[in-house]
Every structure is written in C-alpha cells, then in structure tokens.
Amino acid sequence: MYRIFDYVTIFPMRELILSIIYLSIRKTVILISYSIQYLKREKRDLEPAITFGDTFLCMFRRFPGHQLFFSFSMPKLAPTMLYDLSFPSPITFAAFKSEVPIMELWLKLGIGGGCIKTILKERRTGNPRPRIQEANTKEPLAIINAMGLPGPGLDYFLDLKRLQKLFKFNRPVGFSVGGCTPKEYKSNARTILEHIKRNNISNTYLEINISCPNTSEGQNLLSHPEMLKKLLVTLREETALVIGVKLSPDQSNDDILRFIDIIKSVERTFVNLGNTQAKLDDRISVGKGGLSGHPLFERTLEMINLAKPSGLPIIATGGITDAARLKVALKNGATLVGIATALVINPYNIPHFNKSLTKP
Ligand SMILES: Cc1cc2nc3c(=O)[nH]c(=O)nc-3n(C[C@H](O)[C@H](O)[C@H](O)COP(=O)(O)O)c2cc1C
C-alpha cells in the first residue's frame, strides 16, 4: 500500500512530528523507569527504558496503519559505492544491535545499510547491570556502556530464520567479527562466511572489531598489528567480500596511521573510525565503560582527516548525532557514516538525516 501511497507528500513534516512524539514518550519512560528503580532502592539503569522503547516500537510496527509511522522513502541521491556495495543513503547503523526487528525498522525508516553487532561464538550474558547510563558529560546526547558483548552465540544467531529479512531490503548489511584471540577471530569469520555462502547472501561485508573496550580481550589485536595483518591476508585468501577493520578513538594518531597502512595493503578493505572511548564511571557495575555520542565527534573528525590522504574508504562512526555533524563528516572525506547513539536516542533521526542530505 505505502509503495503507491507516498506519505511524504501528504505529511511533509512527518519525521519531525514523530520525533517530537517519540522523544516525549522516551523521556516519560526514562522518568518512570528511574522512579521505579529509586523506589526499589536499585541503582539507576538506562537499560530497561531502552529495552522497553525497542519492544514498544517493534510491537507497534504490527498494527494497521503502521506505514504512516515507519515507512519512509530513500533520499533521492546517487548511491554511495563501497567497492561494489551500493548504499542508497550514506547513513548506516553502527554495529551495536543484534535484534533483527529493530534493524528491520531502521531499514524501513530509510537507513542505507549497516552492520550487525559483534556476536561471539558462545552465548554470553555480558557484564552485570547497570551497564548502560546517560553519560556524565557537559555535552548532551551521550551514553556510556559496558555491555560486554552479550549475545545468543554465533551459531544460534546465524540460524535465526528472521535474519534473512535484513537482506530483503537490497541494502548492504555487514557482520561484525569479534574474538579474543586471532584463532577465534578466524574461526568466527569462517562461521559467518559459511553462512553467507550457504544462504547465497551477496549484499554483505565483514567488519573486524578490534576495538571493543568492554571485554578483557576485546582490544588484543590493537597491540598486535602483525596479527591483524595475518588475519586480513588469510581472510582475503578465503573470500572476495569487502572487509573492514574498526579502530578505536583511543589509539594514538601514529597508531591509527600504522593500522591504516596494514588495512590498505589488503585489497577491498575499509576502515571504520571508530568505536567507543574508554572512560571510568562508577555508576557502571564494572567501574568503566565506553563513551559514545556527541563528545566523540571532534576525535572522529580528526581521525577522518588523518585517514583521508590514504585513499582508504572510511566509515566514520562516533558522535554523529545531528544533521550538521553528518554533513561535516561526509564533506571532510567519510565515504559513509555509522550511527549508534543517535539511534538509541531517536530512530526518527534516520529520515531527518536523509532529508538534510537533499538540502544544500
Ligand atoms: C550499547 C552499545 C553496544 C555496542 N556494541 C558494539 C559491538 O557489539 N560492536 C562494535 O563494533 N561496536 C559496538 N558499539 C560501538 C558503536 O558501534 C559505535 O562505534 C559507537 O557507539 C560510536 O558511535 P556513536 O557515537 O554514534 O554511538 C556499541 C555501542 C553501544 C552504545
């Protein structure tokens, strides 16, 4: 129905109105959630409100007339190419969610593609709660998390029938590869590659996450560039898929350049700049976490400018929380951008950002 019936022409301010409604509901839910936690003498925890928001959106999606709330057209732009992968919008979801209905929703809202969260081989519950909080920074739109890569286990996740739905949008959706040792990265990548082959998935890529600050081994490869090189070379021998490496904003500039050289030495690769920034925070159960959102942007921009002369395609991730920052990142040389916190705060940022790209 919505293919024939273009709601955009009828409700030109739709994303703005829906944003206001969504943000008001979000604020109320957070307030109620914090009040309940206070009454139960529990520590403040943002996670229940986020889970509620995701569940609410996914349930609402089933009601008649849901297209009015969730279906937006893609921006009328030339696609952005990452080798042979074609993104109809340069905005992608960063690897931070593995719930398929939520990723489907973002695709309906008009995101250009994205990367599924890092899922390790075994089922993991992640760190104890509270493990996600609104950040105590001067700047708004920031969160701190120490989720610790919770997930259902790679084999279980890949077996989910609904996973295939993500590839029906004909937009590139990648898999983030994690591990504790190079052997584990290789084994997890191979499991994903077998799944891709078995299911004839063509519109996909791998993103190697070597920069997770929230597990004890999540950054092992950052201190062993030679091992990363070996891993990339091995994977390149086994697949022609585009492969990216996600670096950390906590790396020094020299280190970023060293890693870019390594990534560039292998064909059909890109760099993702970058992950969350490690921060101490005693409101998180493990005493520290990864900062994301607004405060990361300056460093993201610095890293884009550092990486640009290499000619390696860049996915800029970190602090892209408004349309102005999105445009600055693209103008400075990002091929694509990745967003996470902007989606946690308001998924209607997708149509809003898309619209901004069609305006001067
Ligand atoms: C709750 C949460 C979970 C995340 N999980 C992952 C992950 O599994 N793999 C990964 O590469 N990055 C992960 N990230 C990092 C994001 O992909 C992104 O790089 C980071 O949040 C910076 O982008 P932002 O400022 O737009 O949020 C996570 C971030 C958040 C907030």
Side-chain angles (χ1 to χ4, degrees), residues 94-96 117-118 132 143 145 147 149 176 207 209 246 274-276 292-293 296 317-320 338-342:
F96 80 107
K117 181 179 172 59
T118 319
I132 183 159
I143 54 181
N145 93 85
M147 300 298 283
L149 298 183
S176 172
E207 183 175 276
N209 176 12
K246 190 169 188 183
N275 214 309
T276 53
S292 64
L296 262 58
T317 310
I320 294 163
I339 56 173
T341 304

Side-chain angles (χ1 to χ4, degrees), residues 154 177-194 206 208 221 227 230-235 238:
L154 195 52
V177 183
C180 302
T181 60
K183 201 169 153 202
E184 201 181 325
Y185 273 97
K186 224 181 291 173
S187 154
N188 289 344
R190 282 183 179 144
T191 305
I192 294 169
L193 288 173
E194 275 161 26
L206 298 184
I208 303 177
L221 284 186
M227 287 186 184
K230 238 171 145 181
L231 176 66
L232 286 174
V233 170
T234 310
L235 292 179
E238 297 180 16

Side-chain angles (χ1 to χ4, degrees), residues 51 53-62 66 70 93 97-109 111 116 157 160-166 169 347 350:
T51 311
D54 288 352
T55 315
F56 174 76
L57 278 175
C58 289
M59 274 171 54
F60 198 54
R61 199 175 59 112
R62 296 167 200 267
H66 59 90
F70 300 123
F93 52 90
K97 278 273 179 197
S98 56
E99 289 82 358
V100 176
I102 283 288
M103 289 182 272
E104 250 189 291
L105 196 87
W106 297 333
L107 288 158
K108 284 189 176 162
L109 289 172
I111 207 149
I116 300 164
F157 177 74
L160 292 175
K161 276 218 168 63
R162 58 176 181 263
L163 183 58
Q164 300 312 319
K165 289 187 178 175
L166 293 181
F169 288 82
I350 299 170

Side-chain angles (χ1 to χ4, degrees), residues 6 13 50 74 95 97 108 118 151 168 175 181 197 211 217 233 236 247 277 297-298 308 313:
D6 187 357
M13 302 284 278
I50 294 178
M74 298 306 296
K97 278 273 179 197
K108 284 189 176 162
T118 319
K168 300 229 160 92
F175 291 87
T181 60
K197 206 167 164 192
S211 47
E217 310 89 355
V233 170
R236 182 43 74 234
L247 299 184
Q277 247 172 15
F297 187 69
E298 253 177 56
K308 194 177 158 189

